[in-house]
Amino acid sequence: MISVLIADDEQPAVDELAFLLRQDPRIGVIHQASSGSEAIRLLSREPVDAAFLDIHMPGLSGFDLARALGRFEHTPALVFVTADEEGALEAFDLAAVDYLLKPVRAERLQRSVSRVVEALRANASPSTATGPMPVAQPEMIAVTLGGTTRMIRRDDVRYVQAQGDYARLHTEEASYLVRVPMADLERQWAEAGFVRVHRSYLVALPHLTRVRLGGDHPSVTVGGAELPVSRRLLPGLRERVESTTFRARS
């Protein structure tokens, strides 16, 4: 069970996030604070596994609070929960495991809790001779939407669609056009589990929900979208899928 802190100066936002977190069986005790200073006092007495922090609070901001928590003996996993899209880069500079935009959706919050669990497990790994193993930070991508530049995690990208000399990155929340040719992404992201299935599509294997490689029209389903698989790329995709498939034993 994960103990958490919610720090936000708006009580309705605290209540809503606490309600959603209580629906997740992995969450245990939930502490609440209405300011950064109150959060520090609370954590001095009651260390927690994860802290869900609003950015804009009176006095200490969420970023100020995160820096202060970094000096604690027990540093919680950090998740920023905010309506401010432009703070993502600074959030990940502070080693945040996630960045949630308000209003928070239940399924998105569940994925955030999963990332907290992954970070806690990594920190619990055996130490090396020079100290604990560092937690690998997610690959971040700068994208522009509606004139605003923000950062998204590469592991949130479900598939990539070629659009001329550009590529469109599809995530659960939105899609983003980036000035990078598909061929460059195919080469650079191969080790992260991205596979070319068609001249127009590059898919993330971890996000596949259905694979149909037989018949006249082979396809894969990812994020609710059914994408075609070309005959030329079919053997390579089949090899990658079979290498990551666990077959049940009767």
Side-chain angles (χ1 to χ4, degrees):
M1 300 288 281
I2 302 170
S3 59
V4 304
L5 164 74
I6 301 172
D8 195 316
D9 62 313
E10 298 182 356
Q11 191 58 45
V14 173
D15 293 341
E16 176 67 15
L17 186 57
F19 172 79
L20 293 175
L21 284 170
R22 290 190 186 100
Q23 312 311 306
D24 194 314
R26 295 170 293 182
I27 299 298
V29 177
I30 300 176
H31 300 279
Q32 301 180 9
S34 58
S35 67
S37 56
E38 182 182 351
I40 289 178
R41 289 194 299 271
L42 189 152
L43 294 180
S44 298
R45 306 188 307 269
E46 299 281 349
V48 299
D49 298 312
F52 289 78
L53 310 178
D54 183 31
I55 292 179
H56 302 293
M57 294 186 289
L60 289 177
S61 71
F63 291 149
D64 295 333
L65 176 56
R67 295 186 187 95
L69 295 182
R71 297 191 290 270
F72 278 45
E73 182 177 355
H74 179 87
T75 304
L78 299 176
V79 177
F80 289 96
V81 187
T82 177
D84 182 2
E85 294 189 2
E86 298 183 5
L89 182 58
E90 185 171 357
F92 287 106
D93 281 344
L94 292 168
V97 300
D98 211 351
Y99 191 87
L100 294 175
L101 290 176
K102 297 177 180 178
V104 178
R105 293 180 294 107
E107 59 271 22
R108 181 64 181 84
L109 182 59
Q110 289 179 350
R111 193 158 78 246
S112 184
V113 173
S114 295
R115 289 172 176 169
V116 168
V117 171
E118 292 171 6
L120 294 175
R121 286 174 178 167
N123 284 332
S125 299
S127 300
T128 65
T130 57
M133 290 288 290
V135 178
Q137 292 302 305
E139 179 79 17
M140 304 302 298
I141 308 157
V143 297
T144 302
L145 184 65
T148 299
T149 300
R150 57 175 299 196
M151 305 299 292
I152 64 170
R153 292 170 56 129
R154 181 173 62 183
D155 57 16
D156 280 339
V157 178
R158 294 178 167 185
Y159 67 95
V160 183
Q161 181 180 10
Q163 294 193 342
D165 293 333
Y166 293 76
R168 183 168 293 279
L169 312 181
H170 292 263
T171 69
E172 180 182 357
E173 288 85 12
S175 67
Y176 309 91
L177 196 63
V178 295
R179 196 183 301 232
V180 182
M182 176 78 89
D184 289 352
L185 291 180
E186 179 183 5
R187 183 179 63 256
Q188 296 168 10
W189 291 7
E191 293 184 358
F194 285 81
V195 179
R196 190 74 170 260
V197 298
H198 188 274
R199 65 182 181 181
S200 298
Y201 296 106
L202 185 70
V203 302
L205 289 178
H207 286 292
L208 291 183
T209 55
R210 184 172 179 269
V211 178
R212 186 163 61 90
L213 302 183
D216 295 331
H217 303 286
S219 65
V220 295
T221 301
V222 53
E226 185 174 1
L227 309 177
V229 177
S230 71
R231 292 293 179 183
R232 181 177 64 85
L233 297 171
L234 183 58
L237 175 61
R238 178 179 284 114
E239 182 179 350
R240 290 293 299 273
V241 169
E242 290 179 349
S243 69
T244 57
T245 299
F246 295 91
R247 289 181 170 81
R249 303 179 67 179
S250 57

